[in-house]
Amino acid sequence: MNWSSILPIATLLSSLITGLVIFGLQERRHWLRTTLNLLGATIKLLFVGVMLWGVFRGVEYALSLPLLPGVDFVLRADPLAMLFVTLSAGLWFLTTIYAVGYLEGSPHRSRFFGFFSVCVTATTGIALAGNLLTFFIFYELLTLSTYPLVVHRGTSESLYAGDTYLVYTLLGGAALLTGAVWLQALVGPVEFVAGGVFSAVDPDHRVQLVAIFCLMVGGVGVKAALVPLHGWLPIAMVAPAPVSALLHAVAVVKAGAFGIIRIVYDIYGVELAASLHLLGPLAAVAAFTILYGSVRALFQDDLKRRLAYSTVSQVSYIVLGVTIVGPLATIGGVVHLVHQGIMKITLFFCAGNLAETLNVRRVSEMAGVGRRMPWTMAAFTLAAFGMIGIPPLAGFVSKWYLGLGGIAAGNSWVVGVMVLSSLLNAAYFLPIVYAAWFKEPAAAWSERKPGSRLETDGLLLGPTLITAGLSLSAGLLAGLSFSPRGWVAMIAREAYRLWIP
């Protein structure tokens, strides 16, 4: 075993060991728990940074261990894996800081941070999985490790949300497993390979491959919140704000979208998926989900539920980009994996700041809140503008490439979906921004804590401002090769190197 095979497993273990140690800590060991959390997150960032630079220079990082006869446990750091694992590691670090401030004085913090670390481990494993079986193992670990986070408060509402989440995701996992076993029986072990693993398809297998595709995409589509498989997501909003941020920006919905990318690009390949007529129906589902989620968001007064329906809509941008044949649409869709993550986590951090500081949880309660919490609402405004697609923010870059990709592929209707979706985004975000900055508050806001110069706890405000800054810089620096857009351009070249229509 050499350094290039040690790094992937070391990256995985950096959060797993952290979580296992934290489980054993007594509640009063606050400083030790916080130190371990930040140390684990920092080490993971260091390992990811080394691999990111290596992959950029063409170094291969991979680990393969025998798991079953003829089946290996495989970790591999390809460009797509590094995109997701970098997002996961970076936002884990910031969310950990935020969660330390958010949960200050709350019970069961060791349990929370233990499962929090296991959840990040599962996300890292999903990103680095080199074959379908390894992906499935971590995909199910993610389900089991996020359930305790959803029900963390222990109320009847959170227990109902947790049960709903578990039913949806376990059924999705069962569909994915059925498809994976069927595919293994048909073609043998399935490795993730840029361009797909099927060089030539037996005509007798075409019907089976269509059925397997539907099972696997339907399975991961639950976590990606494709309509009508999205029902668990708005209900899960009873979870604490750091968990909501994790569900929406880093882990669960992104794991589903990432799974669809792997299935289309690295199992079937764009050429085969297109020839089997699989991409058109999936594009239609994604377009409907984009518009449906935005329309539902319009009518939500609960701020977190409005953001949840926004997630239902925005994650399907990724799916839409994958299903439109051509590298431009691929760039627009896959880069949204990162762009949606940094914008949406900013919005959930802001929602958490408002709830923890002023007990504001509804849109109808936000009149004038920008005067009391200007930095939080500045971050919210920046992220909301990005979601709408206002240049030069990150969301504009995603929508620009999706529109260009749709035209290049002869699917001009994609531009119509982007325009209509942006108008709906504006319709449910701009009233919040207007009320916060220009309306008079219904009553005087509570004063800041004595001696505090900040509008809220610094551990809550700091990560919020950093992710807001990332939302701006990802758009401003999109022309650089090491930006998320530049990195995804490298992935698009890999996906289409075997076939350009």
Side-chain angles (χ1 to χ4, degrees), residues 23 114-116 118-119 122 126 136-151 162 165-167 169-170 223 252:
F23 275 128
F115 281 114
F116 198 73
V118 176
C119 174
I126 288 170
F136 178 77
I137 291 170
F138 287 110
Y139 195 78
E140 289 308 293
L141 178 61
L142 180 64
T143 297
L144 299 177
S145 59
T146 44
Y147 172 78
L149 298 176
V150 174
V151 302
Y165 169 71
L166 209 55
V167 169
T169 51
L170 287 180
K223 281 195 169 82
V252 179

Side-chain angles (χ1 to χ4, degrees), residues 64-73 131 133 184-185 188-191:
S64 182
L65 299 171
L67 190 63
L68 295 169
V71 180
D72 291 343
F73 173 87
N131 62 18
L133 182 63
Q184 168 99 11
V190 180
E191 300 274 331

Side-chain angles (χ1 to χ4, degrees), residues 92 245 267 404 413:
W92 180 41
I267 295 179
L404 288 179
W413 58 267

Side-chain angles (χ1 to χ4, degrees), residues 168-221:
Y168 269 85
T169 51
L170 287 180
L171 287 175
L176 175 62
L177 177 61
T178 304
V181 171
W182 192 352
L183 190 60
Q184 168 99 11
L186 198 65
V187 300
V190 180
E191 300 274 331
F192 294 145
V193 178
V197 297
F198 303 106
S199 57
V201 178
D202 186 334
D204 292 339
H205 291 161
R206 293 178 71 88
V207 173
Q208 293 188 68
L209 288 175
V210 170
I212 292 168
F213 183 89
C214 293
L215 277 170
M216 292 200 299
V217 169
V220 296

Side-chain angles (χ1 to χ4, degrees), residues 63-142:
L63 171 73
S64 182
L65 299 171
L67 190 63
L68 295 169
V71 180
D72 291 343
F73 173 87
V74 180
L75 298 177
R76 185 179 299 116
D78 62 19
L80 179 59
M82 291 314 302
L83 183 79
F84 192 24
V85 81
T86 302
L87 174 74
S88 167
L91 294 188
W92 180 41
F93 183 84
L94 294 172
T95 309
T96 297
I97 295 172
Y98 188 91
V100 169
Y102 189 91
L103 295 171
E104 180 69 31
S106 300
H108 310 304
R109 280 172 292 172
S110 290
R111 184 185 71 189
F112 178 91
F113 282 108
F115 281 114
F116 198 73
S117 296
V118 176
C119 174
V120 173
T121 302
T123 309
T124 304
I126 288 170
L128 293 175
N131 62 18
L132 189 54
L133 182 63
T134 308
F135 177 89
F136 178 77
I137 291 170
F138 287 110
Y139 195 78
E140 289 308 293
L141 178 61
L142 180 64

